[in-house]
Amino acid sequence: GQIVEVAGLSTKECDGGGGGEDAEAIRAKISKKETDLALERRSVFRDWLKNIFVGQAVISFGVSYVMATNPKSLFGGFDWFYTYNMDISIQVLGYWFWWLFIVPSLRSRRPKGAEKQALDIAFLGTPLISILAPIATKDTGLIWFANFLVVAGAYGFAFLTDGDDDEDDGSGDSNQPAWLKFVYKSLDFGSGRERGARK
């Protein structure tokens, strides 16, 4: 007899139809198991990816602090560090890491509720601190710490006020002004949430 290779075929492609009620019951069981397996794979992938983002945020946190306070310890072994006087540039980049890498890495996990609100506030607040703080101080370590306080304060505010944006319309707190809702909704665009990725 002829051997049929089915390894690369889907269940539907292998199913010749017919078989009555018993066959339909088996098809329903197979379909449910395939759906459960697909969901499990997606969940495992998401957890793995979220861990990558958390790791990226933690590494950025440590590296950025050293960059802002003592860049020589990281880059002092390179000639270009002295040739081009890169110490100030790296120190400035160190405190900008909050907005460029740390907060975005945490937001990439697509958190919900209070944590999402906290990170939205932090994403808006950290660039303001990084732009305005140098007017008051040239201490890059102090500016880095000010960014830390903004992020910590955002978390504290969001969790104390029980921030929640899990409604399907994404409007969040109905007491928020319209312009603030628009800003928060704009922050979601491009992160996958506008395509229903929160579900």
Side-chain angles (χ1 to χ4, degrees):
Q2 186 179 1
I3 298 176
V4 180
E5 179 62 52
V6 296
L9 300 179
S10 67
T11 304
K12 285 186 177 181
E13 290 171 325
C14 294
D15 190 353
E21 291 183 5
D22 290 341
E24 287 300 325
I26 292 172
R27 290 186 187 105
K29 285 182 180 179
I30 292 173
S31 177
K32 183 179 184 308
K33 287 188 180 296
E34 287 179 338
T35 301
D36 291 346
L37 182 60
L39 288 172
E40 187 177 340
R41 283 175 176 167
R42 284 176 60 189
S43 177
V44 169
F45 175 73
R46 284 178 180 170
D47 289 343
W48 173 80
L49 198 56
K50 285 178 181 179
N51 289 337
I52 292 291
F53 288 134
V54 171
Q56 181 176 300
V58 170
I59 292 170
S60 296
F61 179 90
V63 170
S64 67
Y65 176 76
V66 177
M67 287 172 64
T69 58
N70 186 20
K72 186 177 179 181
S73 64
L74 288 177
F75 305 103
F78 300 97
D79 291 338
W80 54 261
F81 180 77
Y82 302 100
T83 304
Y84 300 104
N85 296 317
M86 294 295 293
D87 52 339
I88 296 299
S89 299
I90 292 173
Q91 286 176 304
V92 170
L93 182 60
Y95 64 73
W96 271 102
F97 256 53
W98 281 101
W99 185 68
L100 293 171
F101 297 105
I102 300 171
V103 173
S105 293
L106 295 174
R107 292 183 76 242
S108 294
R109 293 159 42 248
R110 296 174 187 158
K112 297 179 181 180
E115 186 179 6
K116 178 188 178 299
Q117 184 185 6
L119 291 170
D120 284 347
I121 294 170
F123 192 71
L124 296 172
T126 50
L128 290 176
I129 288 294
S130 295
I131 290 170
L132 297 177
I135 297 172
T137 179
K138 302 303 179 188
D139 187 334
T140 52
L142 198 60
I143 299 172
W144 184 95
F145 190 68
N147 275 285
F148 170 78
L149 290 179
V150 167
V151 175
Y155 268 91
F157 171 79
F159 279 93
L160 287 173
T161 57
D162 196 25
D164 187 6
D165 78 323
D166 288 347
E167 287 92 357
D168 288 338
D169 62 1
S171 60
D173 187 351
S174 58
N175 295 323
Q176 290 177 346
W179 67 268
L180 187 56
K181 289 182 185 177
F182 173 77
V183 170
Y184 283 162
K185 215 164 189 179
S186 299
L187 290 177
D188 288 338
F189 191 81
S191 68
R193 299 178 76 91
E194 79 285 354
R195 297 186 295 275
R198 70 176 72 195
K199 295 179 182 176

